[in-house]
Structures are given as C-alpha cells and as structure tokens.
C-alpha cells in the first residue's frame, strides 16, 4: 500500500484501514463502534443512543447544476437519517458542519439550511448544533443521534441461513431520474419527446428528494417484529446484500423475478435487462433491506416490503436466480466515492 | 443581505442567520441548542449529553506546509474536545468525517487518524464512527459527545456583575509559534539567529499540539466549584470576553497588568505592547475563560488560573485598565474563518 493514493484503494478499503488504526473502543458503555450504519452506546440501563456521521460534497454526492440548494440540504439530511432507521432506531438530534466557498451566496446557504430543516422537521429531528467553514467545494457533514431500547437495535450481522431477504419500496427510479437530470443539464434541453411527464418528474424526485424509511421502525414495533439483519441500500441493492452476507457469514439467493423494479424504470427503460440493472445497482435510494424469518414476515402488512430471496449457509456466495431457472453469481459492485464523480 | 457572499458577512453573522432558519428546537429533552460551545440534551433524569461539531480545513485551520498529518489529526481532535470542556462536561465519544483529494496518500490519511487516535486516547475519548469522502481540500469534521450531570453544565450566559473573570494558562504563545512556523516555511530557512531553541520549540508546539483543558472539569469538581460562565478562548481572549458579556448581559473590566503573557511571547517579542496584543487576541489556544464569584475562586488552587478582571453591570462595555490608570474600550476582534486565510 506504500505510496498508494486514496483514489486508488477505494472507499471501503480506506475506511477499513482507518478503522484499524482506531482499534477497539475502550469505553465500557459502547455496544458497537465502527462497522455498521451507526455506532451504539448505552445512555441508561437498557437504553442506547445510535450515532452516525455522513459527508456530502458537491459533484460527488450532488450536482449543483440540477439540485436546488433546498434539495441539497434536504437530501443530505434524509441520507443521514436513513442510517439511523437502518439500525431500527428513532432519529432525534442532528448537527451540521457546512463548508462553503467564500463567494457562495448567503441566500443560498440559507436555502441549504431550509432544506435541512424541512427534512428534519418532517422526521421529528432537531438540528441542535453546527459549524461553518471555508472550502473550495460545498460540503456538508451531518451527524445524527437516534435512540432505541438496546434490545431493539438491529445490526447487519444478525442474518441467519433461511431468513427471508426483503426490501422496501420499488427500486431503480433514483438512478434513472439522475440520468434524466444529467441529460437535461448537458443537452440544455427538456427530456426526450414522448416521455410521460408525471413519470419523469417522479423519477427525478426520487433522486432529488428521497425519504428515509423511518416509518418502518414504527411498523416493525407495531407488528412485534425485530428483523435479524438490517441495512439501508444507499450503495445499491447488490452491494448491500453482500454487506449483510459478509457481516452475517451467510450467502444469499435472490429471485430475479421478485426484485421490485420501479414503474418509472419500466416505463423509461424499454430493455428489461437494463431496467433490472437499474433496480439491482441503483445507489442513493434510501430504502431498507432486511433479513427476517418467514413467520415474522407473515406478521407484517405485505404491502410494506417485497421478499426478494433468502439467506443461505454458503458464506459469501450471492446468487441471482433467473427466470430461466439458472443461477448466476452476483458480485458486490456498489458505489465508491473515491472512484470518480 | 440580498446577493451578499458568505465571505462578506462574517462567520458569526452567517451562523446566526442559519440558526434563525432552524428556529427553536421542539424536542422536550433538549436543554440547550445552538448558541453555546455545545448543545445539551437529557439522556436520563438529571443526566445530559453535550454535543459539538467542528470543521477544520486545510489552509484555513491548518497549513500543510508545516503541520505533520499526525498534528492535523491531533489538533482537530483537541480543538473539538475543548468545546466539551468549555461546557464543564466530560468528553466520551467522537465521530469523524474526513474529506480527501483523490491523490492524497493512504499513508497520510492513516497519519491523520493516528493523530486523531493519540489525542482521543489521551483524553479518554473513543472514536466510534466516521465517513470519508472526496474533496479538493483536506477537511475534517469532528463531532464530540460528552456527558455531565445536568446541574453541572456551565454555559456562557451565567456570568453575574462582580464575578471574577479568570483564564487558565499563559496566553499568546500559539500565535507567535504560528508566525515562526510561517516565517520558516516562507523563507525556507531556520528561524532568526540568536533565538532560544527551546522557547522556539515551545511556541511552535503550542500552535501545533494544543491540549484541551479537560483537566479543569475535574479540578472544579474536586474544589466543589461551579463557574457561573465558561467558554474556551479558541477565538482569542478579547473575543471570548465579549461572548460571555453579550450572553450574560454584563460588561467587563480587564486589568492589563494581570493578563498572563506566555514566557515565549515575552522572550520572542521585545515590544511589550505587541507582546500584550499576542496575549489578548491569540486564536487557536484552547485555554478556558470563566467567571466565578471571588469566594469560589478562593477555594481553588491559585496556580491553575489567573484573575484578569471582573464582570460589571454595564452591559456590553468591555474596558481594559492600563497600568497608567486609564481605561480603553476593547472591541470584540476575534477570528473569522470566512475573512481570509
């Protein structure tokens, strides 16, 4: 690794190397440190707080050509809150570090904050602190603190062979929305003629204004269900299935026909193979992926999620079962913020 | 304000404008939100957590020409922890968002983390989470979570007329250290001949490797003292006196002769007026400024702090009493990260 650039090793490997330097936490009330969507520490007997920090930079996480500044703030907050939902915890507090170029307009900084506030309010989160600094590039770092009963927290490593693998929401629309937004920005023209305007708007909204699935935390509670493993699919479904499998020491078999492809994808992408590719690898979509026993899944409203396959005992092996009946190995793929814009 | 740039309004005004957008917090367990060194929320009856987020950017907060990457990490962590000490709370957990240019060396990223870890370990803080992202400029955002009994937390707004105004540590060395470091970096030569090497090293260390004064939290506890108002002087003594005065609705009278000028400043700056200027306005020094009744100050080891004056009832008026017996008004001054490098 000597002389290697961070751009050459990839984000996940870099994070692992940095986590190695930190080593094991020493505080006796830390339940879980680096390695999941958020860290967990005890605040009182049986009660924990869950904390996560995320960074968002212009051009890497959003594109100022087609994001309004309100959308930038809203999406950064939504993505950050999603990490807390992905632990089955309730988000409560946020702090924001905002780095801005000196020539950035005060009015636009205020718009970023309006977006932050709108999303936070919607999710019942209070922004309680922050800092501003100078930078060449608009960058936000958001820390969210959530809370839960210690026994309710779900990690990515609790999956068991035989668990059903489930996702919320239809998938893929955020990436097709991004492609439409990019096309419009680059061609300086409205999208291709003949496209359904409502569908186009829906796909764009899905990319620009995602909603974290904090509602699922309540729904699981009401149904008396605690998933075995849980993660958000911000890096794309395939990558996140691998994350659960690696952490849980399982494999997975996914039924291609079961993967819920968003209507916008089916309408805007006529090639079914490419449409499926959107659904499998779409990043920046803040749905939840969870593993739970069939009897638990049966106790929940079936409209809330889709069973896409199951965990297997074959550690690390992720297979896609195609309609033809054959199986293909599915690599991790996923998004890497150092790999290029 | 329409059309104004963030570089033109100043950091404090910008933060106030952004805080206005957020409005009052709604969570019932929030004791204090934006406006102090850290926010405070209840975790159990009588117990609170204290959280603060700080951002550090290359060239604005540190200068890669003369900071080692270990020092960058160490200082960012120290400065962040200082905000928790400035609430009279004990720092416990840290999260780190690290933005790096793609060509940044993995080995240097690891050094930043070594610096973060060394300082965190020394302060008994666990780094429990983080994120990495791409940027043009090395930028760190650190969130620290500390804890305290609710009744022990000290804010900047509790000062009362008649309170003694006290500071820890001799002041000014960090800025003279910075000047020496800049001189060496720009002239590509060792410092001016004839300077005492140990003193030069001390001044540089004071800038590069500050220590947060978390020790004071224990010392106050042991002495059974709770200051009325407390702040760290990272923006310089004069600015922070104004912060306490504004928040507490007081004025202040400072005895110029009492201000503790660091030995390194006295030895390296022969003009006494300029030496005093260093002590009064030196930023990036993580000592604590507090206001407490004389009887409380009398119960503490006098070696730990210096009484520099007292709070007055004349709201907003900060005066410097010179040895000649006359008084001069002292403006807020202080550091502003948007005002230029």
């Amino acid at each position: 690794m000597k002389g290697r650039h961070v751009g050459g090793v990839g984000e996940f490997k870099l994070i692992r190397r940095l986590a190695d330097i930190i080593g094991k936490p020493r505080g006796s009330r830390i339940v879980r440190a680096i390695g999941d969507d958020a860290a967990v520490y005890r605040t009182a007997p049986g009660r924990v707080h869950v904390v996560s920090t995320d960074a968002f930079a212009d051009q890497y996480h959003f594109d100022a050509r087609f994001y309004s500044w309100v959308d930038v703030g809203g999406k950064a907050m939504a993505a950050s809150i999603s990490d807390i939902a992905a632990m089955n915890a309730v988000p409560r507090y946020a702090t924001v570090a905002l780095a801005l170029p000196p020539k950035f307009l005060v009015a636009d900084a205020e718009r970023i904050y309006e977006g932050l506030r709108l999303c936070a309010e919607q999710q019942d989160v209070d922004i309680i602190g922050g800092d501003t600094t100078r930078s060449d590039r608009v960058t936000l770092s958001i820390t969210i603190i959530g809370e839960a009963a210690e026994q309710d927290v779900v990690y990515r490593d609790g999956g068991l062979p035989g668990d059903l693998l489930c996702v919320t929401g239809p998938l893929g629309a955020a990436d097709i929305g991004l492609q439409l937004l990019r096309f419009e920005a680059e061609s300086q023209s409205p999208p291709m003629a003949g496209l359904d305007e409502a569908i186009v708007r829906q796909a764009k909204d899905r990319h620009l204004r995602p909603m974290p699935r904090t509602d699922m935390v309540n729904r699981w509670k009401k149904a008396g269900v605690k998933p075995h493993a849980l993660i958000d699919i911000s890096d794309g479904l395939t990558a996140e299935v691998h994350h659960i499998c690696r952490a849980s020491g399982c494999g997975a078999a996914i039924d291609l026909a079961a993967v819920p492809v968003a209507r916008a994808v089916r309408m805007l992408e006529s090639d079914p193979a490419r449409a499926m590719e959107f659904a499998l690898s779409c990043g920046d979509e803040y749905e939840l992926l969870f593993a739970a026993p069939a009897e638990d899944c049966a106790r929940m409203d079936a409209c809330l999620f889709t069973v896409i396959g199951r965990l297997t005992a074959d550690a690390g092996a992720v297979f896609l079962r195609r309609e033809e009946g054959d199986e293909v190995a599915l690599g991790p793929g996923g998004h890497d913020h150092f790999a290029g814009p």
Side-chain angles (χ1 to χ4, degrees), chain A:
Chain A
M1 281 286 201
K2 204 158 172 271
R4 293 283 297 273
H5 299 141
V6 296
V9 299
E11 192 183 5
F12 295 124
K13 205 174 264 181
L14 178 65
I15 288 177
R16 266 206 303 280
R17 288 175 64 92
L18 300 180
D20 282 347
I21 289 170
I22 290 174
K24 288 216 182 308
R26 302 181 304 169
S28 60
R29 280 168 294 171
I30 297 172
V31 181
R32 197 67 70 106
I34 292 167
D36 218 297
D37 288 287
V40 181
Y41 49 91
R42 227 168 271 126
T43 54
R47 298 296 303 173
V48 293
H49 276 191
V50 169
V51 64
S52 172
T53 292
D54 279 292
F56 305 87
D58 188 8
Q59 283 175 53
Y60 305 126
H61 295 82
F62 57 88
D63 190 326
R65 289 176 306 173
F66 48 80
Y67 275 70
S68 74
W69 292 114
V70 174
D71 285 340
V72 167
K75 182 164 176 178
M77 183 58 75
S80 302
I81 287 174
S82 178
D83 280 329
I84 304 300
M87 305 294 287
N88 198 27
V90 179
R92 292 287 186 215
Y93 311 117
T95 66
V96 179
L98 180 58
L100 299 172
K103 294 279 173 218
F104 199 76
L105 291 177
V106 172
D108 288 337
E110 293 180 320
R111 282 189 195 110
I112 292 177
Y113 257 70
E114 274 160 29
L116 289 166
R117 180 182 59 84
L118 281 170
C119 175
E121 263 183 20
Q122 221 164 29
Q123 299 288 328
D124 219 8
V125 166
D126 276 304
I127 300 172
I128 59 172
D131 193 18
T132 60
T133 192
R134 214 165 133 153
S135 184
D136 307 302
R137 201 181 276 271
V138 177
T139 309
L140 292 93
S141 300
I142 302 184
T143 298
I144 309 279
I145 296 163
E147 61 174 354
E150 186 172 349
Q151 62 186 18
D152 288 345
V153 178
V154 181
Y155 302 90
R156 58 178 71 172
D157 65 2
L160 293 173
D163 282 350
L164 297 185
L165 210 45
C166 313
V167 283
T168 62
L171 305 175
D175 263 3
I176 216 161
L178 174 61
Q179 292 207 354
L180 289 164
L181 288 161
R182 278 198 185 134
F183 175 85
E184 284 179 37
E186 276 150 28
S187 67
Q188 300 281 322
S189 74
M192 308 73 112
L195 296 186
D196 181 320
E197 234 176 89
I199 290 288
V200 166
R201 166 70 17 228
Q202 210 181 81
K204 290 183 193 170
D205 269 358
R206 188 82 182 160
H207 179 79
L208 296 172
R209 298 176 197 100
M211 291 279 287
R213 296 303 305 265
T214 44
D215 61 305
M216 290 301 291
V217 175
N218 287 325
R219 291 180 202 277
W220 281 313
K221 201 184 185 84
K222 270 189 193 151
V225 167
K226 183 189 168 190
H228 284 170
L230 175 59
I231 201 166
D232 77 356
I233 55 169
S234 51
D235 293 323
L237 178 64
T238 305
E240 305 294 3
V241 168
H242 273 273
H243 285 151
I244 282 191
C245 286
R246 197 177 309 131
S248 300
C250 293
I254 297 171
D255 282 317
L256 191 63
V259 174
V261 182
R263 189 161 158 260
V265 178
R266 283 184 275 114
M267 291 191 64
L268 297 170
E269 175 54 67
S270 51
D271 176 353
R274 292 201 52 193
M276 181 53 74
E277 196 44 50
F278 273 111
L280 288 174
S281 69
C282 179
D284 247 9
E285 212 159 26
Y286 296 89
E287 298 295 334
L288 297 174
L289 169 69
F290 61 99
E295 58 271 29
D296 281 350
C297 293
R299 276 152 63 197
M300 295 184 64
D301 182 344
C303 301
L304 293 174
F305 63 96
T306 309
V307 178
I308 58 164
R310 57 176 70 230
L311 293 182
T312 67
D314 190 7
V318 177
F319 286 97
L320 199 60
R321 267 195 205 118
R322 294 197 289 197
E323 283 165 277
E324 297 78 24
D326 59 342
E327 283 187 337
V328 288
L330 199 60
H335 279 246
D336 181 334
H337 292 125
F338 285 105

